[in-house]
Amino acid sequence: MNLMSEFNLIDHPHRRYNPLNGEWILVSPHRAKRPWQGQVEKVVEDVRPKYDPKCYLCPGNERIGGHINPEYTEPFAFVNDFSSLLNDTPEGSWTDGELFKADSEQGICKVICFSPRHDLTIPQMEVDEIKPVIDLWQKEYNELGAIPFINYVQIFENKGSIMGCSNPHPHGQIWASKAIPVEPEKESIRQLAYFEKHGRTLLADYLDAELKKEVRLLASNDHFVALIPFWAVWPFEAMIVSRKQLQSIAQMNDAEKLALADIYKQLTVMYDNLFEVSFAYSAGIHQAPTDGKDHPEWHFHMHFYPPLLRSASVKKFMVGYEMLANPQRDITPELSAQRLRELPKVHYRLI
Ligand code: ZN
């Protein structure tokens, strides 16, 4: 490698800009060329039963707090017994001079069981079993978003014990709040500025460019594309972006919801196949706030943030420089995308 040669993104350390949140990431591709000395061990995976009498999410079981789950056969949502937000918190704000500021916050937290089956995960479910999950997301977004004091509905999934997920039963969460949370707020500001300047959404133009470049694409169908964003922080971070500008899940028709189920499965099968392990991640939807305003700038997308780096057990830590300065990665997003694209399309447990 000649460091004096012309700057390129393959050999040279560089910073990449994230236009969605305005932040930067340091990429050190020269370090990914070091031989990996560590072990690449396989983990022994637990075999879970279809029904676990001790699981508080399985049908018919009692939850802490005394509620009994119905014998549900389709995705099922309920108010979290340990909600972080409450809908009856008194309104108010508190200040003590310029430096101390707090606002009361109201909200509703729900849990969504994706399947009555304790032993499944999204990549192991069929597309027509995932579609009802998307239907329920849409219903919850519409109903929670219609509540006057709810201005943002955050739908997300925390998968795997290394992400701090306490129960392996396939499930996700929804936190609906009065305030627009920090990450969607950053993206709202950037998307609005772009839309006002160009009259198109930031992600419509970004997706057009990525479809031409092809290097970071992972999977696609008629309505959605999965890709590794140019500015990805996590080694195998991904995004699902709608081809058409949809401001939110509320605007999706049946074909689009089926296509979202399909791309969600395609991406998570790739993830599981990468290290032949049930791949941990935090994933969630970013979409228009439910604050009663028009949001022509918002373009529906999902983010996937998986922590695994080199094997089923070696994860990336965000420490040191990353906590104090900005995030850094070695393997480039382009190489990560190539690795994921080359994997078999069938789940490894079925081969
Ligand atoms: Zn986003």
Side-chain angles (χ1 to χ4, degrees):
M1 175 177 57
N2 176 9
L3 282 172
M4 299 307 286
S5 64
E6 203 173 320
F7 168 59
N8 69 73
L9 304 183
I10 295 163
D11 299 313
H12 302 145
H14 59 277
R15 304 171 84 209
R16 293 194 186 191
Y17 176 64
N18 179 341
L20 265 179
N21 65 15
E23 293 169 2
W24 293 81
I25 169 178
L26 178 63
V27 185
S28 312
H30 60 296
R31 296 196 349 143
K33 292 169 185 163
R34 294 173 305 171
W36 166 240
Q37 302 289 331
Q39 285 178 301
V40 181
E41 73 274 37
K42 291 221 167 172
V43 290
V44 180
E45 288 199 84
D46 58 325
V47 177
R48 301 205 303 271
K50 289 181 183 173
Y51 166 78
D52 178 350
K54 292 199 277 298
C55 169
Y56 65 88
L57 298 177
C58 276
N61 289 0
E62 184 175 347
R63 304 201 302 269
I64 303 160
H67 295 94
I68 311 267
N69 294 327
E71 291 289 347
Y72 65 93
T73 55
E74 292 274 292
F76 158 63
F78 61 90
V79 173
N80 195 321
D81 301 311
F82 300 97
S83 293
S84 300
L85 294 162
L86 303 169
N87 62 3
D88 55 359
T89 305
E91 294 243 12
S93 57
W94 177 94
T95 53
D96 184 3
E98 197 181 330
L99 302 179
F100 297 86
K101 203 163 116 172
D103 289 322
S104 93
E105 179 64 345
Q106 290 79 36
I108 297 167
C109 297
K110 298 184 90 167
V111 176
I112 290 193
C113 297
F114 292 160
S115 164
R117 288 265 304 266
H118 185 78
D119 59 328
L120 294 181
T121 60
I122 291 288
Q124 293 167 296
M125 288 163 64
E126 299 299 332
V127 171
D128 61 6
E129 295 171 324
I130 302 170
K131 164 75 169 32
V133 175
I134 315 293
D135 291 333
L136 188 52
W137 282 349
Q138 185 182 53
K139 176 174 174 279
E140 292 290 336
Y141 177 85
N142 286 337
E143 289 180 5
L144 290 165
I147 298 171
F149 71 87
I150 295 295
N151 294 315
Y152 197 79
V153 178
Q154 181 60 58
I155 297 171
F156 65 102
E157 180 192 3
N158 225 10
K159 176 169 174 273
S161 56
I162 59 170
M163 296 309 288
C165 181
S166 53
N167 189 324
H169 193 109
H171 72 285
Q173 299 190 55
I174 301 178
W175 293 18
S177 58
K178 185 181 76 174
I180 299 175
V182 173
E183 294 302 323
E185 176 68 7
K186 284 183 208 164
E187 295 190 2
S188 247
I189 292 166
R190 299 277 157 180
Q191 290 181 102
L192 182 59
Y194 191 93
F195 187 81
E196 284 176 341
K197 187 172 169 197
H198 299 281
R200 298 181 302 275
T201 67
L202 188 159
L203 284 178
D205 283 356
Y206 175 67
L207 186 60
D208 274 353
E210 288 289 24
L211 287 168
K212 288 190 191 96
K213 292 176 195 290
E214 295 184 343
V215 288
R216 282 172 294 273
L217 301 182
L218 298 175
S220 66
N221 59 31
D222 286 350
H223 300 285
F224 294 92
V225 177
L227 52 84
I228 299 206
F230 178 72
W231 53 81
V233 167
W234 296 93
F236 296 97
E237 177 178 333
M239 272 174 84
I240 290 173
V241 184
S242 60
R243 287 183 186 267
K244 190 169 103 186
Q245 188 217 344
L246 299 162
Q247 290 165 24
S248 75
I249 199 167
Q251 296 175 337
M252 280 182 205
N253 61 29
D254 251 5
E256 287 159 343
K257 287 188 285 179
L258 190 65
L260 181 56
D262 170 69
I263 200 101
Y264 192 10
K265 181 180 169 81
Q266 285 196 57
L267 175 60
T268 54
V269 165
M270 275 181 182
Y271 276 166
D272 276 12
N273 285 349
L274 182 61
F275 301 128
E276 299 200 343
V277 67
S278 181
F279 202 73
Y281 57 74
S282 283
I285 297 173
H286 277 163
Q287 56 189 332
T290 56
D291 54 1
K293 297 180 189 144
D294 267 349
H295 285 286
E297 77 281 15
W298 260 97
H299 192 128
F300 176 96
H301 60 281
M302 287 184 77
H303 292 282
F304 289 77
Y305 301 125
L308 288 181
L309 176 61
R310 283 193 194 90
S311 73
S313 60
V314 178
K315 71 178 271 228
K316 174 185 174 72
F317 289 97
M318 291 276 238
V319 296
Y321 189 81
E322 315 204 286
M323 291 183 92
L324 290 154
N326 63 224
Q328 182 269 343
R329 64 181 293 146
D330 291 347
I331 181 175
T332 61
E334 297 73 43
L335 280 174
S336 293
Q338 189 186 336
R339 274 195 72 182
L340 286 172
R341 270 198 311 267
E342 286 168 355
L343 293 166
K345 307 293 177 228
V346 179
H347 196 273
Y348 71 94
R349 284 197 166 188
L350 299 175
I351 294 172

